[in-house]
Amino acid sequence: MASSASRFGHARWSEVAVLAGPALLLFTGFVLLPFVMAVVFSFTNVKLLQTDRIEWTGLDNYTRMFALKAVEAPPAASMAGQPLPASRQWRALKRAAPADFEGYQYLSDLSLGGRHYLVGARDPQFLRSIANTFLFALLVVPLQTALAFAMALWVNQAFRGRVLLRTVFFSPVVTSMVVVAAIWGLILHTEAGLANQVLREIFGADAPQPDWLGDPHLAMLSIAIMSAWQGAGFQMLIFLSGLQGISIEQYEAADVMGASRWQKFIYITLPGLKRTLVFVGLSTTIMAFGLFTQVDVLTGGGPMDATSTLIFHSMRVGFREQDIAYGSAMTLFFFLFVLLLSLGQKRLMERLGR
């Protein structure tokens, strides 16, 4: 009896400890312990190099993330015949009543019910970073999914060289993102970059020369295109696996019935890839919310915070500004958000599988 109680399946407890112990030790030291520390730090005011002056602050770091203040805009003042910008109006109100606006910075302005309001936040960069993160996901998820799907359909055909083509399509995935971002930084350079040189060759010397990474309206789109190019090879393999899992008999029966290529795509390929499409879309979305390296290498969050994302802002606050407590609160918020998104993915996959 004692011998059987000391066994774990077909292995003894000592054998399990020897085999699993190193992995569990690494997991505890590099995943579990840092996570617990981040949770604890998020309720304090700890600084990176001032750990001797720690105070318990409760939910202050969490309220700081979402704290907003809206005030009705004063009568429009003007300067040189032009109305003052909303940010200037906010600063004028703050100078007039500093106690009422302490800790708040200008975020945006809006009109509601015929009235104009100025909106401030305790951390406007955090809210802009959330908006930028969602914008990046909206740009990169359909682009990367469509590109990966097209590549999978192509390399799933029977032709010579398809194995080489699969390797070429997948090679950016195994290339360091830092290297990829640095190369694309050279390609998108305003004056000497390949992209603008191609535009000059096609449209002549008067061709538009966009500032791909310096224009707030183009920077996030440029990063999304680069990210979709770099990551599409991984989703291509998932789609390829799904395509090869569709029974060939269905296509043969469709040929006998005289179905066109488009009809086979609509009524056989897409239904057969239903769960694969959902998985790729949701997994790509989760990865998109973790955008950091591309922003850190290419734009540093600029221009004008147009590419600052949730992870980038939390890293900037936690390590560059040394506010570990507030950075931990933001990363914990990100963890909970991704957890809820993953649970939604699981429920959707279960519903599709019924």
Side-chain angles (χ1 to χ4, degrees), residues 313-333:
H313 183 52
S314 64
M315 294 290 289
R316 175 172 55 192
V317 169
F319 291 97
R320 297 178 185 175
E321 299 178 11
Q322 300 186 5
D323 193 348
I324 290 294
Y326 188 44
S328 298
M330 284 189 282
T331 54
L332 188 61
F333 165 77

Side-chain angles (χ1 to χ4, degrees), residues 224-291:
I225 293 173
M226 185 270 290
S227 301
W229 173 86
Q230 190 271 343
F234 178 74
Q235 281 79 8
M236 178 200 69
L237 291 183
I238 299 175
F239 277 127
L240 189 60
S241 176
L243 287 170
Q244 294 177 351
I246 300 175
S247 175
I248 192 65
E249 284 79 6
Q250 298 184 52
Y251 293 103
E252 293 174 349
D255 289 332
V256 172
M257 298 174 65
S260 65
R261 178 175 294 184
W262 175 251
Q263 289 174 324
K264 289 188 287 185
F265 177 77
I266 294 296
Y267 296 106
I268 298 177
T269 304
L270 285 183
L273 292 176
K274 181 173 62 174
R275 298 189 65 179
T276 304
L277 283 166
V278 172
F279 173 77
V280 168
L282 291 176
S283 61
T284 307
T285 302
I286 292 174
M287 289 188 288
F289 280 111
L291 174 66

Side-chain angles (χ1 to χ4, degrees), residues 46-53 318-319 321-324:
V46 61
K47 303 294 182 181
L48 185 62
L49 300 179
Q50 299 177 3
T51 56
D52 57 327
R53 290 180 288 179
F319 291 97
E321 299 178 11
Q322 300 186 5
D323 193 348
I324 290 294

